[in-house]
Amino acid sequence: MNISLSLKSLLDSISTKPLNESDLEKYLEEFTLKLVENDVAYELARSTASSVVKALSKIRVSRFGSDLRELVIKTAKEHLLSNIATCDIDYMNLVASSLSEKIPFVQMFIGVNGTGKTTSIAKIALILKKANLRPLMVCADTFRAGAVEQLKLHAEKVGVSYFEKGYGRDPASVAFDALELSRRDGYQAVLIDTAGRFHTRRGLMEELSKIKRVSSPDHTTLVVDAMAGNDSWEQAKTFMELIGYDSIILTKFDADVKGGAALSVSYISKKPIIFIGTGQGYGDIRKFDIRAYVEELFARL
Ligand SMILES: Nc1nc2c(ncn2[C@@H]2O[C@H](COP(=O)(O)OP(=O)(O)O)[C@@H](O)[C@H]2O)c(=O)[nH]1
Ligand SMILES: [Mg+2]
């Protein structure tokens, strides 16, 4: 059940009966669990539920009535909005302002395998191409079988250039060469795809740090799968601690997502979600307004 539906059922049950002190405790637990079930990070779920209960405790139990529902919604909404990153980045403005200072705009993409990194890079390359810029897709995963061919296939399908040096080379040196080529050949945006074998975390993080050092990206984006549930929280946290990033792309938002992952990753990272992926097609990418998303979430309750 998605976040909106499960909160609605919870609200329906509490707003139809009078509450006492012990109900409030039970309610706190239930509210927390509902949020967690829907992929909201535990810390954020717990603190949101606490703020709701605090607000409820302040008003006299006998006065609980039709206002209760509104109070819960208002309190939870305000708490969420004040704890997540709500700053808004317009991607094309970001690129344009970077390009006004230096060419090319370099963007590095990081994230676990299978989250949709390569697909998202192709989607973004297409956006840039449509804006009359020349993007270069770079394969800095020189280990995983198929990584090079996949990037190449996506680049060919969207009709943009790509750069690869096959397998076995140091990924940082591939990124370095790509930057040299882009300066020589006048590419305006260099999109660096990286490896995501999370199980060899240590080696991966060293590899990514080196790529970052060598290519000094203007912008680094973490790609997270909205279906990953609690893992999305873990990924947003780990990559922030070990590499750092400026924004997030949340993929697979088209599928039957519970919805809480968007809140979790925004809360943990305090970074904006610049895009959501809404399908496997190259046009399936949308801007994401988290404020509007939270409003919408609660408007349906
Ligand atoms: N439904 C859906 N599938 C996606 C989305 N983004 C990527 N995928 C699919 O997820 C799978 C893994 O994507 P890929 O780009 O290869 O992931 P990577 O390993 O991180 O590079 C592919 O089958 C993609 O088509 C999305 O927004 N929605
Ligand atoms: Mg890939």
Side-chain angles (χ1 to χ4, degrees):
M1 204 194 288
N2 72 33
I3 195 164
S4 200
L5 281 178
S6 45
L7 289 180
K8 186 176 182 345
S9 70
L10 179 65
L11 271 176
D12 285 343
S13 71
I14 63 131
S15 49
T16 49
K17 63 178 174 91
L19 295 177
N20 58 39
E21 287 294 318
S22 68
D23 285 336
L24 281 181
E25 266 315 302
K26 195 175 117 240
Y27 182 41
L28 169 72
E29 287 305 317
E30 255 177 77
F31 202 81
T32 306
L33 278 180
K34 283 290 179 208
L35 291 167
V36 170
E37 265 169 31
N38 286 286
D39 301 338
V40 174
Y42 183 79
E43 279 171 61
L44 181 60
R46 180 80 194 174
S47 65
T48 303
S50 296
S51 70
V52 167
V53 170
K54 227 180 266 163
L56 290 180
S57 322
K58 278 193 198 131
I59 60 170
R60 289 215 354 252
V61 171
S62 59
R63 288 179 54 205
F64 281 178
S66 56
D67 295 345
L68 174 65
R69 198 182 185 91
E70 262 157 48
L71 180 71
V72 170
I73 292 174
K74 182 171 168 281
T75 311
K77 196 165 78 180
E78 279 169 6
H79 185 82
L80 284 173
L81 284 173
S82 59
N83 281 282
I84 57 175
T86 51
C87 62
D88 200 9
I89 293 187
D90 179 78
Y91 183 71
M92 285 316 295
N93 281 346
L94 174 84
V95 175
S97 96
S98 179
L99 283 176
S100 70
E101 285 173 16
K102 69 173 255 294
I103 296 172
F105 167 72
V106 181
Q107 186 174 7
M108 177 175 168
F109 295 79
I110 56 179
V112 174
N113 275 340
T115 53
K117 271 191 308 298
T118 314
T119 313
S120 300
I121 292 171
K123 290 175 179 179
I124 287 181
L126 184 59
I127 291 175
L128 293 167
K129 183 187 163 190
K130 284 184 174 163
N132 291 319
L133 295 172
R134 289 182 70 216
L136 181 68
M137 289 174 60
V138 179
C139 187
D141 179 354
T142 59
F143 183 77
R144 194 178 60 85
V148 172
E149 291 75 13
Q150 274 172 355
L151 179 125
K152 197 172 145 187
L153 187 68
H154 282 303
E156 283 169 355
K157 281 194 181 161
V158 293
V160 306
S161 305
Y162 60 88
F163 184 87
E164 53 91 3
K165 285 279 170 185
Y167 296 97
R169 284 260 312 264
D170 175 8
S173 81
V174 175
F176 184 83
D177 290 354
L179 284 174
E180 241 180 24
L181 173 89
S182 69
R183 281 188 280 263
R184 200 178 63 225
D185 289 2
Y187 288 101
Q188 291 131 321
V190 177
L191 309 174
I192 304 175
D193 196 5
T194 62
R197 38 175 210 293
F198 211 46
H199 52 283
T200 57
R201 195 173 294 203
R202 180 105 186 266
L204 174 66
M205 296 303 167
E206 275 165 15
E207 175 177 320
L208 297 178
S209 298
K210 190 171 173 198
I211 298 173
K212 199 170 185 187
R213 223 165 38 238
V214 166
S215 60
S216 45
D218 300 293
H219 196 85
T220 302
T221 299
L222 175 75
V223 180
V224 187
D225 175 345
M227 304 262 283
N230 256 323
D231 271 0
S232 66
W233 178 84
E234 182 64 27
Q235 290 165 21
K237 191 167 181 280
T238 306
F239 278 96
M240 183 53 81
E241 283 165 4
L242 300 176
I243 309 292
Y245 50 87
D246 309 297
S247 66
I248 295 170
I249 293 179
L250 203 56
T251 60
K252 309 185 193 182
F253 219 74
D254 50 310
D256 188 22
V257 288
K258 294 176 189 165
L263 302 175
S264 292
V265 296
S266 306
Y267 170 69
I268 293 299
S269 68
K270 307 289 185 224
K271 298 293 178 190
I273 296 171
I274 46 167
F275 286 119
I276 52 168
T278 55
Q280 295 184 299
Y282 297 116
D284 296 331
I285 184 164
R286 283 211 314 261
K287 266 194 76 166
F288 187 66
D289 178 346
I290 197 145
R291 280 184 172 279
Y293 176 71
V294 172
E295 292 291 341
E296 199 187 305
L297 203 68
F298 286 95
R300 277 183 270 145
L301 297 183

